[in-house]
């Protein structure tokens, strides 16, 4: 028996009861003496009343005299006057097959032990759906993207897939692209700011970020808007935000270390570096940052919290050097050969991933990362040392060959 079954006494105290599993409440109806059944010694079990249009998934079966008798509802002529809940219960089964009605007309106890299937009227399911809908609405952010080029569109797709609303603004006309993605597009940044997004993410190039922020109508945003960037350098936007944004604005510096090509499939294990530069202490503002970062975490990113200063120091040794070597090899115009090795294939892949980027991006990595100059000098020195070692060994061989004594 289902644990929600309520045991009822029999005889003169017999009651009609239904256990509504959705609400986990028992609807109990007392029938008059003329309709009470003597059910002592009979075994009650669960069964289905096939062909019934009753809204109940199952009804009680009374087993006795060697065969099952289905007790569904009282016949119209013999049905007792019931309280409101009871009338609803009996009425729900009024359309049961004639056999069912005749059985109940003889008197008895209706006890619903279980509802076999999830019903559309189920209160628990409705409450759960309402709760999930409310929770999603509470977690939904309106994310504004400034700069709707390839990278802005790349992020917008994932934000929308994670249930957030996205609006965008840019210098170009991206209305058709935005419509296809389900993004609200505003050519005028004033109109964009009037929508009061929860988060504003600057997806501009490194070189244009400062001029974009200087012209941006920040005063039209909410007073505690969360502003973020996704530039490949971090100290520069951090200082820019601290100088240009009002003190009550939240600041989050982000660097997804992947792009539309490397991240076109899964983001699993791809690094997302972030620094919570300035976040208000209010719970709502803390939760807003968490919901934004949750997008990247749910997509499988490897979350790396790191200061902007440390990011630039490490990026100069990795990202900038990678782009520098890729550009050098691209300038050499390397080509496919019929005897490519795995190492050579890796070099060609490096060229494709770096040399095809705009030179402005590469210049921005150099200009706006104060560690880049030192790394470039180290690279140049290392190349000189390797070259010097090669020529020193060559000169030694030549000298040995010149000054070897001729055989006698």
């Amino acid at each position: 028996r289902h644990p929600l079954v309520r045991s009822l006494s029999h005889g003169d105290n017999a009651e009609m009861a239904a256990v509504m599993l959705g609400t986990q409440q028992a609807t109990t109806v007392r029938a008059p003496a003329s309709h009470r059944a003597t059910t002592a010694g009979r075994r009650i079990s669960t069964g289905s009343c096939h062909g019934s249009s009753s809204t109940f998934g199952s009804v009680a079966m009374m087993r006795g005299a060697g065969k099952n008798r289905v007790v569904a509802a009282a016949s119209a002529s013999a049905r007792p006057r019931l309280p409101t809940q009871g009338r609803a219960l009996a009425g729900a089964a009024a359309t049961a097959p004639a056999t069912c009605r005749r059985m109940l007309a003889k008197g008895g106890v209706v006890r619903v032990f279980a509802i076999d299937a999830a019903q559309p009227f189920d209160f628990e399911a409705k409450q759960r759906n309402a709760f999930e809908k409310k929770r999603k609405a509470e977690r939904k952010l309106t994310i504004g993207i400034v700069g709707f080029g390839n990278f802005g569109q790349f992020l917008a797709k994932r934000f929308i897939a994670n249930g957030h609303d996205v609006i965008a603004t840019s210098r170009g006309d991206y209305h058709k692209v935005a419509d296809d993605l389900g993004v609200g597009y505003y050519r005028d940044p004033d109109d964009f700011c009037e929508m009061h997004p929860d988060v504003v993410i600057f997806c501009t190039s490194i070189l244009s970020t400062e001029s974009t922020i200087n012209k941006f109508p920040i005063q039209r945003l909410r007073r505690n808007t969360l502003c973020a960037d996704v530039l490949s350098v971090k100290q520069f936007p951090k200082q820019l935000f601290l100088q240009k944004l009002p003190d009550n604005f939240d600041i989050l510096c982000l660097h997804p270390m992947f792009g539309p090509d490397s991240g076109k499939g899964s983001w699993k294990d791809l690094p997302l570096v972030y620094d919570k530069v300035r976040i208000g202490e209010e719970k709502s503002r803390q939760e807003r940052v968490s919901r934004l970062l949750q997008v990247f975490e749910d997509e499988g990113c490897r979350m790396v919290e790191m200061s902007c200063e440390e990011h630039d120091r490490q990026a100069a040794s990795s990202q900038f050097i990678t782009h520098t070597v890729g550009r050098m090899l691209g300038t050499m115009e390397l080509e496919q050969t019929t005897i490519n090795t795995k190492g050579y294939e890796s070099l060609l892949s490096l060229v494709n991933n770096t040399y095809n980027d705009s030179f402005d991006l590469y210049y921005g990595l150099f200009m706006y990362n104060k560690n880049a100059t030192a790394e470039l000098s180290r690279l140049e020195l290392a190349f000189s040392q390797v070259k010097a070692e090669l020529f020193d060994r060559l000169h030694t061989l030549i000298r040995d060959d010149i000054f070897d004594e001729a055989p006698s």
Side-chain angles (χ1 to χ4, degrees), residues 67-119:
K67 61 181 180 179
N68 294 338
R69 295 188 298 162
V70 180
V71 181
S75 64
S77 59
R79 188 163 60 246
R81 291 288 297 175
L82 305 176
T84 302
Q85 290 179 324
R87 289 199 299 272
L89 174 63
T95 55
T99 302
C100 298
R101 295 198 298 271
R102 286 197 300 272
M103 295 308 300
L104 190 61
K106 296 180 181 181
V109 177
V110 174
R111 288 186 290 179
V112 178
F113 290 164
I115 297 181
D116 292 338
Q119 301 297 321

Side-chain angles (χ1 to χ4, degrees), residues 314-332:
Q314 294 191 24
S317 301
S318 57
Q319 188 180 31
F320 176 70
I321 291 298
T322 299
H323 277 262
T324 300
V325 173
R327 288 212 158 259
M328 290 169 56
L329 296 177
T331 304
M332 291 175 61

Side-chain angles (χ1 to χ4, degrees), residues 31-239:
S34 59
H35 296 287
R36 295 175 189 160
T38 303
T39 58
R42 293 177 178 176
R43 179 181 177 187
I44 307 298
S45 62
T46 301
S48 299
C49 187
H50 299 289
S52 170
S53 61
S54 166
T55 57
F56 293 98
S58 60
V59 297
M61 293 186 66
M62 190 179 301
R63 180 172 296 166
K67 61 181 180 179
N68 294 338
R69 295 188 298 162
V70 180
V71 181
S75 64
S77 59
R79 188 163 60 246
R81 291 288 297 175
L82 305 176
T84 302
Q85 290 179 324
R87 289 199 299 272
L89 174 63
T95 55
T99 302
C100 298
R101 295 198 298 271
R102 286 197 300 272
M103 295 308 300
L104 190 61
K106 296 180 181 181
V109 177
V110 174
R111 288 186 290 179
V112 178
F113 290 164
I115 297 181
D116 292 338
Q119 301 297 321
F121 58 80
D122 182 74
F123 177 79
E124 184 179 355
K126 287 182 178 179
Q127 289 297 100
R128 182 172 60 251
N129 291 338
F131 174 76
E132 292 293 339
K133 185 177 180 180
K134 181 180 179 182
R135 187 174 68 172
K136 288 181 179 179
E138 291 175 346
R139 291 175 57 84
K140 179 183 290 188
L141 293 172
T142 298
I143 301 174
I145 296 178
V146 180
F148 203 54
N150 290 336
F151 200 84
Q153 297 169 28
F154 170 65
L155 291 180
K157 294 176 184 177
R158 296 301 175 108
F159 290 148
I160 292 173
N162 280 268
H164 299 290
D165 293 331
V166 178
I167 62 174
T169 185
S170 197
R171 291 177 299 178
D173 185 3
Y174 292 97
H175 280 96
K176 186 177 186 308
V177 176
D179 289 342
D180 293 341
L181 295 178
V183 174
Y185 187 74
Y186 301 88
R187 185 75 176 270
D188 190 330
D190 289 281
D191 295 337
F192 170 89
C193 292
E194 289 291 346
M195 297 305 296
H196 293 161
D198 301 300
V199 182
V200 174
I201 301 179
F202 288 87
C203 295
T204 54
S205 68
I206 299 175
L207 299 182
S208 64
T209 297
E210 185 170 7
S211 62
T212 300
I213 293 179
N214 286 336
K215 298 175 183 176
F216 200 71
I218 296 172
Q219 71 280 0
R220 293 185 178 273
L221 294 171
R222 288 177 179 169
R223 289 180 296 173
N224 65 347
T225 302
L226 171 61
C227 287
D229 79 286
V230 288
L231 300 186
S232 299
V233 293
K234 293 271 71 77
Q235 281 183 276
F236 168 63
K238 173 185 175 179
Q239 294 175 357

Side-chain angles (χ1 to χ4, degrees), residues 215-408:
K215 298 175 183 176
F216 200 71
I218 296 172
Q219 71 280 0
R220 293 185 178 273
L221 294 171
R222 288 177 179 169
R223 289 180 296 173
N224 65 347
T225 302
L226 171 61
C227 287
D229 79 286
V230 288
L231 300 186
S232 299
V233 293
K234 293 271 71 77
Q235 281 183 276
F236 168 63
K238 173 185 175 179
Q239 294 175 357
L240 194 60
F241 281 164
L242 290 173
Q243 292 171 4
K244 303 294 184 180
L245 298 181
D247 293 340
N248 52 350
F249 272 44
D250 290 342
I251 299 174
L252 177 68
C253 287
L254 301 171
H255 183 195
M257 302 196 71
F258 50 91
D261 292 329
S262 56
K264 62 183 177 182
S266 171
W267 288 3
K268 184 174 175 57
D269 295 330
L270 297 177
L272 183 280
V273 180
Y274 65 97
D275 184 10
K276 299 178 183 179
V277 177
R278 186 177 68 199
I279 307 298
E281 296 180 355
E282 292 89 338
K283 182 179 178 181
S284 60
R285 295 168 77 168
Q286 296 285 339
E287 290 179 346
R288 179 174 59 186
V289 173
S290 298
R291 291 199 297 271
L292 178 61
L293 293 176
Q294 191 68 43
V295 174
F296 297 93
E297 190 171 349
D298 289 346
E299 290 290 336
C301 287
R302 178 164 56 87
M303 309 297 287
V304 182
E305 186 169 9
M306 179 184 295
S307 70
C308 293
E309 292 74 17
E310 179 62 17
H311 168 277
D312 282 3
R313 187 188 70 79
Q314 294 191 24
S317 301
S318 57
Q319 188 180 31
F320 176 70
I321 291 298
T322 299
H323 277 262
T324 300
V325 173
R327 288 212 158 259
M328 290 169 56
L329 296 177
T331 304
M332 291 175 61
E333 299 182 351
L334 298 183
E335 296 180 351
Q336 292 280 355
T337 72
T338 57
I339 54 172
N340 284 1
T341 62
K342 291 293 185 181
Y344 188 72
E345 291 286 352
S346 298
L347 292 179
L348 292 177
S349 177
L350 175 61
V351 172
N352 290 332
N353 289 332
T354 57
Y355 195 67
N356 292 331
D357 291 332
S358 68
F359 190 82
D360 283 349
L361 171 62
Y362 176 60
Y363 178 71
L365 293 175
F366 172 74
M367 181 65 183
Y368 292 95
N369 187 339
K370 64 182 182 180
N371 302 283
T373 301
E375 290 302 310
L376 189 60
S377 297
R378 289 181 59 209
L379 178 63
E380 186 178 13
L381 178 61
F383 179 75
S384 298
Q385 289 175 344
V386 171
K387 181 179 177 181
E389 186 177 355
L390 286 175
F391 280 97
D392 285 347
R393 178 169 295 188
L394 178 61
H395 292 164
T396 300
L397 292 175
I398 294 175
R399 290 190 189 99
D400 289 344
D401 185 59
I402 292 175
F403 294 105
D404 271 351
E405 293 185 2
S408 54

